Amino acid sequence: MDGVIATGVRATARIVAREDGRGGTALPVLEGDGPLALRRTRASGSEARVMLVGAMSGPLGGDHFAVEAGVEGGARLRVGSAAATIALPGQAKGESRYDVRLDVAEDGELHWLPEQLISVRGSDLYVTTRVDLAASARLVLREEQVLGRAGEEPGRLTSRLTLRIAGRTVLDQELACGPGAPGGWDGPAVLGGHRAVGQLLVVQPEFEREPVVARTLGEHAALVPLAGPAVLVTAVAADGLRLRRVLDEALASLG
């Protein structure tokens, strides 16, 4: 309609995990709105499990989604998603946003393992993931991004990942791809023509005592120790299936 300005959808999902006093993990906060729905699934031992379910396509142009997860002391939480997140163009002009905020307290553990993010032609998405860990917290975080559907050029995708441990920043990096991104994003120093890129971030207190050695993992992946008890695996691949295989193998090698 003329004179109507589309501003996009605003939606937030929140999770809080807490020890239940019986050797398990309770979820006193589990709430989502709009297109972000949360479902508790069957627990495994002391670990609570949650699935993020997209109730509609998106994010579309102009949308702003946010997911916040807090793991309190001694609790264990695993979060996945039911399907890939697809960034699409929409009626609202301009950038869409997807912000993830993760906090893990002392002796807490979080496995953040969503499905892939697919950047569709004509979309413009800015993703931020900020993780704050206590000194004894544990983390496994996987990010996978696919640039375009089969035979399709990607939209613009910018992704920033920040990790702080005990208040100290140990990782803060950003990657921009697609139309309008800084030159060279598809060159040999960055993606080298590949259309899937991913990262695996693993934090374990044991890495302080037994540091992990930097190494390559096949032709298109590298494992790099970070300051503190953290390791970053970065990989590119021709497609999402091959990317997942590389990251799964890297995680298995880290125990």
Side-chain angles (χ1 to χ4, degrees), residues 25-113:
T25 298
L27 298 172
V29 177
L30 189 65
E31 57 188 31
D33 56 25
L36 298 176
L38 297 169
R39 301 286 183 266
R40 179 165 189 165
T41 60
R42 184 182 296 274
S44 176
S46 61
E47 178 184 77
R49 297 189 171 188
V50 173
M51 193 68 67
L52 179 62
V53 180
M56 58 186 284
S57 296
L60 306 177
D63 289 352
H64 188 174
F65 294 174
V67 181
E68 302 169 0
V71 179
E72 298 183 2
R76 298 181 63 205
L77 174 66
R78 178 182 295 257
V79 179
S81 59
T85 297
I86 303 178
L88 296 164
Q91 291 184 342
K93 300 299 182 182
E95 181 183 76
S96 54
R97 291 185 62 94
Y98 202 125
D99 297 322
V100 177
R101 300 292 180 263
L102 309 175
D103 292 275
V104 187
E106 296 289 353
D107 298 316
E109 182 171 335
L110 172 63
H111 288 226
W112 188 262
L113 303 169

Side-chain angles (χ1 to χ4, degrees), residues 34 76 112 120-121 205 232 245 250:
R76 298 181 63 205
W112 188 262
V120 170
R121 181 178 180 180
L232 175 68
R245 186 180 303 125

Side-chain angles (χ1 to χ4, degrees), residues 110-129:
L110 172 63
H111 288 226
W112 188 262
L113 303 169
E115 292 301 308
Q116 294 161 347
L117 168 62
I118 301 174
S119 173
V120 170
R121 181 178 180 180
S123 63
D124 185 0
L125 178 63
Y126 186 62
V127 181
T128 65
T129 302

